[in-house]
């Protein structure tokens, strides 16, 4: 199993990507698990959804190129990109608080997953970045459009265009990370969530709907789909294929 879904005693759902040997990269199984967790989080006994990665090295290293490297053309890549984009929109518009518990490195699509959550908590010393630009593509799951909703334009644009790994401390100052912690991830998360989980669920849902309605009004889903289509065009470019080839060759030598 590529993931676990656990209901915690304090009333939230914990989704963990359990592919630490792959730096918690997202494959189709993880996508299906996320969709399942989002649908389970709607239950009346769940007050929040927390997403994290197994181990201490990585939160999520984005899409698993060892799986997706076989997607060469726009037509081949688009279904995968759309599938995850729609999952992220479902996560974004879940009528409960959502938390990315960034316990290790977050790269590329891992940052898109984190961006789709309402709150981002990061372990001190980790690094994260929207590195897709270095892969000759853009954010492929709608994460750029999501980031544009959540950060000032110049800050969001610089994070995307620079395509660098940044420290959690830098991202905290930029407003992408909301809380830095040391020690046990789940304990830190429960400390951060304590006041939220003490509220009536109807209150949590009513507040979340303020933002859901805003995103619906601004046609965020439509904008995410347009972003994904633009990424699919870049996906079939020679520059991206060359990046993937180099990545796979390095991986073979490492293994």
């Amino acid at each position: 199993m590529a993931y676990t879904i656990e209901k915690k005693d304090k009333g939230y759902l914990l989704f963990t990507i359990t592919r630490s040997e792959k730096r918690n990269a997202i494959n189709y199984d993880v996508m299906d698990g996320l969709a399942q967790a989002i649908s389970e989080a709607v239950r009346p006994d769940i007050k929040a959804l927390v997403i994290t990665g197994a181990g201490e090295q990585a939160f999520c290293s984005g899409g698993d190129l060892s799986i997706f490297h076989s997607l060469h053309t726009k037509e081949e890549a688009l279904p995968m990109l759309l599938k995850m984009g729609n999952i992220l929109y479902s996560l974004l518009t879940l009528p409960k608080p959502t938390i990315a518990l960034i316990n290790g490195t977050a790269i590329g699509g891992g940052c898109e997953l984190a961006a789709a959550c309402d709150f981002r908590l990061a372990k001190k010393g980790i690094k994260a970045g929207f590195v897709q630009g270095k892969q000759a593509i853009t954010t492929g799951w709608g994460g750029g459009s999501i980031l544009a909703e959540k950060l000032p334009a110049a800050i969001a644009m610089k994070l995307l265009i620079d395509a660098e790994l940044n420290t959690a401390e830098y991202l905290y100052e930029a407003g992408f990370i909301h809380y830095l912690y040391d020690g046990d991830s789940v304990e830190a998360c429960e400390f951060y969530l304590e006041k939220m989980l003490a509220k009536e669920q109807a209150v949590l849902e009513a507040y979340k709907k303020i933002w859901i309605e805003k995103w619906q009004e601004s046609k965020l889903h439509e904008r995410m789909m347009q972003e994904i289509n633009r990424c699919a065009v870049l996906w079939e470019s020679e520059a991206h294929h060359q990046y993937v080839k180099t990545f796979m060759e390095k991986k073979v030598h490492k293994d």
Side-chain angles (χ1 to χ4, degrees), residues 21-23 61 107 165 243 245-255:
E21 76 288 353
K22 297 282 188 181
R23 298 186 65 77
S61 59
I107 298 175
L165 277 178
Y243 168 82
K245 182 173 180 244
T246 304
F247 174 85
M248 294 305 295
E249 286 171 355
K250 279 184 186 171
K251 189 173 181 303
V252 167
H253 292 314
K254 273 186 189 174
D255 294 346

Side-chain angles (χ1 to χ4, degrees), residues 6-12 190:
E6 180 185 2
K7 172 151 184 228
K8 304 296 277 186
D9 292 340
K10 293 186 185 292
Y12 66 92
E190 290 186 350

Side-chain angles (χ1 to χ4, degrees), residues 1-4 15-36 59-69 71 79-81 83-85 87-88 109-110 113 141 235:
M1 186 70 79
Y3 60 89
T4 59
F15 176 86
T16 307
I17 305 171
T18 57
R19 305 186 75 223
S20 53
E21 76 288 353
K22 297 282 188 181
R23 298 186 65 77
N24 295 321
I26 291 174
N27 61 8
Y28 291 111
D29 286 343
V30 174
M31 290 185 193
D32 291 340
L34 274 167
Q36 181 185 337
F59 165 71
C60 174
S61 59
D64 189 343
L65 280 181
S66 66
I67 305 291
F68 301 143
H69 77 279
L71 307 174
M80 179 274 288
L81 299 175
K83 179 181 172 78
M84 190 61 185
I87 289 168
L88 289 193
L113 175 60
W141 295 335
W235 190 283

Side-chain angles (χ1 to χ4, degrees), residues 111-125:
C111 281
E112 295 190 68
L113 175 60
C117 293
D118 299 318
F119 305 99
R120 286 165 291 285
L121 287 49
K123 192 164 195 133
K124 291 178 183 175

Side-chain angles (χ1 to χ4, degrees), residues 38-51:
I38 292 163
S39 65
E40 286 189 25
V42 177
R43 290 187 344 224
D45 59 329
I46 302 294
K47 287 190 172 181
L49 172 61
V50 177
I51 296 172

Side-chain angles (χ1 to χ4, degrees), residues 87-99:
I87 289 168
L88 289 193
Y89 186 76
S90 297
L91 174 62
L92 186 76
T93 55
L94 178 71
K96 310 273 176 90
T98 55
I99 298 89

